[in-house]
Amino acid sequence: MGSSTTSNESNDIPCSYIPVPDSPDAAGAAVEPRRQVKGLFVIFCGMLVLISLVAFNGYYRASNNGHEQASLAAALTKIIVEESGSETVPASSRWQQAASRGVSAGVSEKTNRLFSSSNSNGEMYPWNNSMLSWQRTAFHFQPEKNWMNDPNGPLYYKGWYHFFYQYNPNGAIWGDIVWGHAISRDLIHWQHLPLAMVADQWYDKNGVWTGSATILPNGEIIMLYTGSTNESVQVQNLAYPADPSDPLLIDWVKYPSNPVLFPPPGIGATDFRDPTTAWLTSQGKWRITIGSKLNKTGIALVYDTVDFKTYEKIEGLLHAVPKTGMWECVDFFPVSKEVKNGLDTSINGAGVKHVMKVSLDDDRHDYYAIGTYDEKNVKFIADDVKNDVGIGLRYDYGVFYASKTFFDDSKARRVLWGWIGESDAEYADVAKGWASLQGIPRTVALDTKTGSNLLQWPVAEVESLRLRSDEFKDLKAKPGSVVPIDVGTATQLDIVAEFEIEKEELEKVTSESNVDKYNCESSGGAAQRGALGPFGLLVLADDGLSEYTPVYFYVVKGSDGNLKTSFCSDQSRSSVANDVVKKTFGSFVPVLEGEKFSVRILVDHSIVESFAQGGRTTVTSRVYPTRAIYGAARLFLFNNATDVSITASLKVWQMNSAFIRPYNPDQSN
């Protein structure tokens, strides 16, 4: 696997992990830190493939539960038959397809594909320090420097929110992954603590990867995480606080008999990762699920335990969906059909639906389905099989991946974290010294009006950052118009807006037989004009509109008179730079009878998070303007429809910056 150049800079963040002796099984394994040896890299890659296969066979022999092997084999055989005659792909095949860092290590491609973008003249865009400095956000969580990806084990404990995350202490590119750790009183202002866990054991030598926290009824914290062994086999490990009385949870201990789980027979050595938060069954056992795949079928394996040290593999699978590929970062939790409050992960029964969410390795998007959990038969049954996990609804239709929820019992809510990667060139990330951030934490609840969607909304605490506000009522925008919204500089904003189409004009619009013709990603973005759209806001725009990011609705009137609405974010004109990704994101959003078109947008330098219709559809974009920055950033209302005028009402707040800094014992409150 490629990695960034290492240095002693990792000492800037002290490591607090209390090491335990290496497992006796690791005798003879290399214990020195990894070093870049460019001359031997090609040879090592070939050797690693052979070593992984040998090690994998050894682990199979160590897993001597015959019943488990037979039951899993039966479930996997069933999947092969259902996959329309597709042939089984050897576990070693993903080594042959390695495209960049991450893939060769057996995880999703964790870095931007733009490694060295250039324009037609072979020149990279001339980014300067002022442009790059502007990109750093003001109220989104990110480390002081270097690379960050998946959120890990979020929890609330003794008055503090804890956030752990995948972190490279040695550079702004993926590699050398350990667990960063930060704490907060309110999910907005954060203090960086020492690293929680580092890659210092044979079973996590190649990375302390994603995991989840479970808080037991007695208050005990259990942390399960995936480790990549010295031979790149994915195993599950147990860790726990060294001092449970410490509300900051600074020191962590790894269980001396790790790993607690190996890949079961029939599962690839690099296809077994990301254990979920555990939930309590009616039999008094704790249950977890772990993502995997067989050929191109994504699957969720299930294990029961009473002590988190020994596990029983449950026959069959919690869920499986053909042609969805590897399932990463599986999340499984209940939502109430009756109230907006979140539910503890162990809740089941009447008045409850369950959500299964997976992160698809193949396309790096987070999908979810709402359905029923049959505890007795250990099955998740999606309400709508046509929109099952991996083929239907997504948490977010933009840049948003590897998400994880936790139940915040202090406020009876379920909170969602999501990793927001970069969309620029890697050399720019190296130049600015950091890469990636986390989205604003969101509450998650069932949309009881539709019954088929989740509602995601920024946590209420973000409103504490609101400063001066400007309100604009009943603004008119004729077809083809752009209207300035005078809020001053528009780099850090919280925008709430509603739009209405003039009813008389709407009635005159000719209906269309194909209401599905418009697609955010492939229909030309905000420049594609239709009778009823697009209309919305231009954020991070400059006065001359040489750069702007439209966030908009596009409406199509069907032959039955009903409207179908898409909600989109168009990055194609967000920057004049040639070496950034500039796509259009979005999807269909339900707009119910009597509802106005509504959106909330959080603008924070290089990230734009948009929530339509109360959070039924969300879109997150990363944008990298070169001119619409600092005091030159502006906000506009636009209507690019051909046949109707719109009326808009907005309230716009300037946003303060969050305090995100190293931990200071004297300022812990």
Side-chain angles (χ1 to χ4, degrees):
M1 137 176 70
S3 62
S4 58
T5 303
T6 59
S7 70
N8 291 328
E9 291 181 352
S10 60
N11 294 328
D12 293 347
I13 301 180
C15 168
S16 66
Y17 166 62
I18 299 176
V20 297
D22 275 347
S23 163
D25 297 334
V31 295
E32 309 84 40
R34 284 175 289 168
R35 297 184 174 90
Q36 249 184 347
V37 187
K38 294 182 179 179
L40 298 177
F41 180 77
V42 174
I43 298 174
F44 284 170
C45 282
M47 294 176 63
L48 282 173
V49 176
L50 296 175
I51 292 171
S52 296
L53 292 174
V54 171
F56 187 43
N57 289 333
Y59 286 130
Y60 278 4
R61 289 192 295 270
S63 179
N64 55 12
N65 188 325
H67 174 71
E68 171 188 317
Q69 184 169 352
S71 62
L72 181 59
L76 300 183
T77 301
K78 183 175 184 290
I79 288 174
I80 295 174
V81 173
E82 291 175 348
E83 277 206 4
S84 303
S86 57
E87 297 179 1
T88 303
V89 179
S92 60
S93 66
R94 62 192 293 124
W95 294 91
Q96 301 166 6
Q97 300 170 5
S100 70
R101 279 179 305 276
V103 175
S104 60
V107 294
S108 179
E109 187 175 34
K110 296 293 186 182
T111 188
N112 194 337
R113 290 184 174 90
L114 284 174
F115 294 107
S116 57
S117 298
S118 60
N119 61 25
S120 58
N121 297 320
E123 298 177 355
M124 297 180 292
Y125 188 80
W127 296 99
N128 59 44
N129 287 336
S130 178
M131 297 174 186
L132 295 177
S133 296
W134 177 89
Q135 293 175 14
R136 189 170 180 89
T137 61
F139 55 88
H140 284 73
F141 177 82
Q142 53 189 131
E144 292 184 283
K145 61 181 180 179
N146 299 332
W147 169 275
M148 172 180 64
N149 53 280
D150 306 10
N152 294 159
L155 56 91
Y156 181 80
Y157 188 70
K158 295 184 182 296
W160 291 95
Y161 291 100
H162 290 260
F163 182 68
F164 305 89
Y165 54 93
Q166 300 281 275
Y167 179 65
N168 179 0
N170 300 317
I173 56 178
W174 185 85
D176 304 328
I177 295 298
V178 298
W179 273 31
H181 184 192
I183 54 171
S184 172
R185 292 289 194 185
D186 60 5
L187 292 171
I188 301 299
H189 305 288
W190 292 91
Q191 299 181 62
H192 297 294
L193 291 178
L195 299 178
M197 289 188 286
V198 298
D200 62 354
Q201 302 296 313
W202 70 270
Y203 50 78
D204 57 17
K205 183 74 173 175
N206 281 317
V208 184
W209 288 349
T210 292
S212 300
T214 301
I215 300 180
L216 305 187
N218 63 2
E220 181 181 356
I221 297 175
I222 296 294
M223 196 73 78
L224 293 174
Y225 72 93
T226 298
S228 181
T229 74
N230 56 328
E231 294 177 331
S232 296
V233 176
Q234 293 171 9
V235 297
Q236 313 312 316
N237 304 301
L238 168 63
Y240 38 84
D243 180 8
S245 67
D246 175 16
L248 304 186
L249 302 176
I250 291 178
D251 296 319
W252 289 80
V253 173
K254 297 176 183 177
Y255 177 50
S257 296
N258 277 336
V260 295
L261 281 171
F262 296 92
I267 296 300
T270 58
D271 299 329
F272 183 65
R273 56 184 177 269
D274 309 337
T276 62
T277 295
W279 65 94
L280 194 61
T281 69
S282 58
Q283 288 78 37
K285 297 181 179 180
W286 291 96
R287 180 166 290 170
I288 64 169
T289 183
I290 298 173
S292 187
K293 72 170 183 176
L294 178 72
N295 196 14
K296 290 296 183 180
T297 293
I299 63 175
L301 304 165
V302 186
Y303 292 87
D304 281 359
T305 182
V306 294
D307 59 4
F308 292 91
K309 299 174 182 177
T310 58
Y311 293 80
E312 172 192 2
K313 173 138 192 353
I314 302 302
E315 184 175 352
L317 302 165
L318 180 62
H319 201 47
V321 180
K323 300 180 181 179
T324 55
M326 176 67 196
W327 286 2
E328 298 190 295
C329 304
V330 175
D331 204 0
F332 189 67
F333 57 89
V335 289
S336 173
K337 295 192 294 183
E338 301 167 350
V339 297
K340 291 185 177 180
N341 287 352
L343 299 176
D344 180 86
T345 309
S346 297
I347 297 296
N348 195 10
V352 172
K353 284 287 186 180
H354 270 76
V355 176
M356 171 164 273
K357 166 263 164 182
V358 301
S359 300
L360 290 195
D361 191 1
D362 287 355
D363 69 7
R364 287 192 290 174
H365 294 307
D366 281 15
Y367 294 81
Y368 75 89
I370 299 169
T372 302
Y373 169 50
D374 180 349
E375 182 188 298
K376 181 179 179 181
N377 294 307
V378 197
K379 293 291 181 184
F380 170 77
I381 303 100
D383 287 346
D384 181 2
V385 294
K386 293 182 180 179
N387 287 303
D388 208 338
V389 184
I391 57 178
L393 297 173
R394 282 163 46 182
Y395 271 171
D396 192 294
Y397 290 86
V399 182
F400 189 93
Y401 192 65
S403 59
K404 184 173 294 295
T405 67
F406 75 101
F407 177 62
D408 176 9
D409 62 352
S410 71
K411 295 194 174 181
R413 61 184 176 178
R414 183 158 291 273
V415 178
L416 169 68
W417 283 96
W419 166 43
I420 315 299
E422 300 293 332
S423 298
D424 62 348
E426 189 174 81
Y427 68 83
D429 296 339
V430 173
K432 65 191 180 188
W434 59 270
S436 303
L437 48 110
Q438 300 292 326
I440 287 294
R442 307 172 180 181
T443 57
V444 180
L446 180 67
D447 183 356
T448 55
K449 292 182 179 179
T450 67
S452 58
N453 293 78
L454 293 177
L455 296 177
Q456 302 171 61
W457 202 247
V459 294
E461 289 89 335
V462 74
E463 296 173 14
S464 68
L465 298 177
R466 288 173 171 174
L467 300 172
R468 175 182 61 85
S469 66
D470 294 286
E471 192 164 6
F472 307 86
K473 294 184 178 180
D474 299 326
L475 297 177
K476 305 293 183 180
K478 296 181 179 180
S481 64
V482 177
V483 181
I485 306 296
D486 185 11
V487 297
T489 185
T491 288
Q492 295 171 212
L493 300 178
D494 187 352
I495 306 167
V496 176
E498 291 184 337
F499 307 89
E500 292 182 271
I501 298 175
E502 297 295 334
K503 292 182 179 179
E504 291 182 0
E505 295 178 352
L506 176 59
E507 291 174 356
K508 297 177 182 178
V509 171
T510 303
S511 60
E512 302 185 34
S513 58
N514 182 12
V515 296
D516 297 319
K517 71 172 187 177
Y518 189 81
N519 180 289
C520 291
E521 298 183 2
S522 60
S523 294
Q528 180 63 42
R529 303 187 70 182
L532 300 174
F535 58 85
L537 298 171
L538 305 179
V539 301
L540 295 175
D542 65 333
D543 284 323
L545 295 181
S546 63
E547 294 180 332
Y548 56 90
T549 299
V551 178
Y552 63 92
F553 295 94
Y554 191 102
V555 184
V556 178
K557 183 179 180 180
S559 56
D560 56 1
N562 292 326
L563 305 180
K564 182 168 184 179
T565 305
S566 296
F567 177 65
C568 319
S569 177
D570 181 359
Q571 301 172 75
S572 61
R573 296 163 182 80
S574 62
S575 175
V576 299
N578 56 285
D579 52 2
V580 299
V581 175
K582 290 182 276 189
K583 296 181 178 180
T584 301
F585 298 128
S587 183
F588 165 73
V589 59
V591 181
L592 306 185
E593 185 176 356
E595 291 183 344
K596 297 178 181 180
F597 302 98
S598 64
V599 64
R600 183 177 180 185
I601 305 173
L602 294 176
V603 180
D604 186 8
H605 295 256
S606 60
I607 181 173
V608 179
E609 292 185 273
S610 305
F611 305 81
Q613 302 308 120
R616 287 189 191 123
T617 297
T618 68
V619 182
T620 298
S621 300
R622 296 299 307 280
V623 294
Y624 306 89
T626 64
R627 302 168 183 173
I629 58 179
Y630 298 106
R634 297 287 182 264
L635 177 68
F636 293 86
L637 167 70
F638 84 98
N639 176 19
N640 210 22
T642 59
D643 292 10
V644 296
S645 298
I646 63 164
T647 301
S649 295
L650 301 83
K651 191 167 185 179
V652 183
W653 289 267
Q654 296 287 338
M655 294 291 279
N656 204 350
S657 300
F659 292 102
I660 303 176
R661 60 190 186 277
Y663 173 69
N664 183 338
D666 296 330
Q667 299 176 354
S668 60
N669 291 322

